[in-house]
Amino acid sequence: MTPLLEASARTRLRTPRRYVPALLVTPAATFLMVFFIVPLSMVAVLTLFDYQPLTRSVSFVGLRNWHRILTSPELRQATVNTLLYAVMTVPVIVGVSLLAALGIHALPRWGALWRTVYFLPTIATMAAMSVVWRWLFYPGAGPVDATIGRLTGATDWLHSTTLALPAIAVIGSWAGIGSSMVMFLAGLTSVPQHLHEAGRLDGAGPWHRFWHITWPALGPSTMFALIIATRDALRVFDQVHVMTDGGPLGSTETLADLQWRYGVSYLDIGSGSIVNTVLLGLVVVTVAAQYLAGGRRLERAGAR
């Protein structure tokens, strides 16, 4: 084969390889474009229009929708309720799931049974479980009022402006522990056992072995569980809508529930799109703040 033909053959062989990275990235890029970029762009555009689905009328209103919603007391109340709900649930979910994972990981037997018990609420339908929890909190005849209510005097939780949101936070914590526990169990399998053996030989107690060996290794799992729990808390909707529908007096109305009220109940698509955008911004800012505040340190600790 002449040098010219050899060069031509090499060119034909190399040419398809140039397109391999593009072909591999195309499915993910298409998925991102169709299911994220395009819907997000449509939401951003809808915030500038007064769109009536029933009459199919569309009129450009510019930033008037933004001014009306951003200055409304409903948005402020929903934002405060959403943040309060996240503060009440995220530390409980991460802390209890970590303790549950440590306990299950240390069990010599029946670990699979306890993993199933803790994970069952995660796979259950939240709307259906909220109906059951609503019965538990039923005023007067519910088990909560019959036990905790008689001991503490705190009754009729779901009709109280101060107790309704904590009652919903109890349900959110109960439902979120299972998924975070699985993340911690996965992290515990990567903890080097020889370091624990070396710690025992050096006389280190259980607390010192956890703090200096287990906890640093769980850094990435902790960060991931924290981000997922925060994201789910900020988007809470099912239990709010089923148990209180945002009441009483808006004391449990979150941003996701407010978005439903504007977009579905009132068919105010522009206002619902603005609440959706505010919720997305709140999730992004909160997760970024968590990562910058301690996430990088946790990930570096896990990579040691």
Side-chain angles (χ1 to χ4, degrees):
M1 183 178 292
T2 64
L4 182 60
L5 291 176
E6 291 179 354
S8 177
R10 287 197 297 270
T11 302
R12 286 198 301 270
L13 290 174
R14 283 199 301 266
T15 301
R17 290 188 176 182
R18 297 168 52 188
Y19 301 104
V20 170
L23 291 174
L24 294 176
V25 172
T26 298
T30 304
F31 182 87
L32 184 67
M33 178 65 70
V34 172
F35 294 102
F36 184 74
I37 302 298
V38 172
L40 189 62
S41 302
M42 292 180 64
V43 169
V45 171
L46 285 172
T47 62
L48 305 176
F49 287 86
D50 180 13
Y51 171 53
Q52 299 297 328
L54 295 180
T55 60
R56 297 184 179 180
S57 62
V58 181
S59 59
F60 181 75
V61 295
L63 297 178
R64 277 184 291 175
N65 275 341
W66 282 92
H67 181 267
R68 176 169 56 85
I69 297 301
L70 292 181
T71 57
S72 65
E74 290 86 358
L75 182 68
R76 288 195 296 271
Q77 181 69 47
T79 304
V80 171
N81 291 340
T82 303
L83 293 175
L84 283 176
Y85 177 84
V87 169
M88 286 188 281
T89 55
V90 173
V92 175
I93 290 174
V94 176
V96 175
S97 61
L98 174 60
L99 294 176
L102 291 172
I104 292 173
H105 187 71
L107 286 176
R109 59 175 63 183
W110 306 110
L113 173 64
W114 285 107
R115 283 197 298 271
T116 304
V117 169
Y118 275 95
F119 195 70
L120 275 178
T122 302
I123 61 177
T125 304
M126 198 61 218
M129 292 299 100
S130 297
V131 174
V132 177
W133 277 97
R134 187 175 180 178
W135 170 77
L136 294 176
F137 281 102
Y138 196 80
V144 174
D145 277 9
T147 54
I148 299 176
R150 289 183 180 178
L151 293 175
T152 63
T155 59
D156 200 3
W157 288 51
L158 299 183
H159 295 97
S160 168
T161 55
T162 56
L163 296 177
L165 192 60
I168 295 174
V170 170
I171 304 165
S173 302
W174 167 79
I177 288 173
S179 58
S180 296
M181 181 203 65
V182 171
M183 299 173 201
F184 282 120
L185 283 173
L188 286 171
T189 59
S190 64
V191 178
Q193 293 303 312
H194 68 275
L195 295 180
H196 278 281
E197 295 297 332
R200 289 192 185 92
L201 293 176
D202 290 340
W207 168 251
H208 286 89
R209 292 201 303 274
F210 168 77
W211 186 249
H212 294 289
I213 299 174
T214 305
W215 176 244
L218 288 177
S221 299
T222 304
M223 190 61 209
F224 189 61
L226 186 64
I227 289 176
I228 296 300
T230 303
R231 182 207 62 178
D232 292 344
L234 295 177
R235 299 189 310 174
V236 59
F237 172 74
D238 289 349
Q239 55 266 47
V240 173
H241 194 69
V242 172
M243 297 186 67
T244 63
D245 197 18
L249 301 177
S251 60
T252 61
E253 187 166 63
T254 59
L255 286 172
D257 193 58
L258 182 64
Q259 174 192 346
W260 170 276
R261 183 155 65 92
Y262 279 134
V264 178
S265 298
Y266 300 164
L267 294 180
D268 188 352
I269 305 301
S271 300
S273 300
I274 291 175
V275 177
N276 187 28
T277 306
V278 171
L279 176 57
L280 176 62
L282 185 63
V283 172
V284 172
V285 169
T286 306
V287 171
Q290 288 177 332
Y291 183 75
L292 294 175
R296 288 182 295 185
R297 181 174 55 82
L298 289 173
E299 287 190 344
R300 283 198 298 268
R304 288 189 303 179

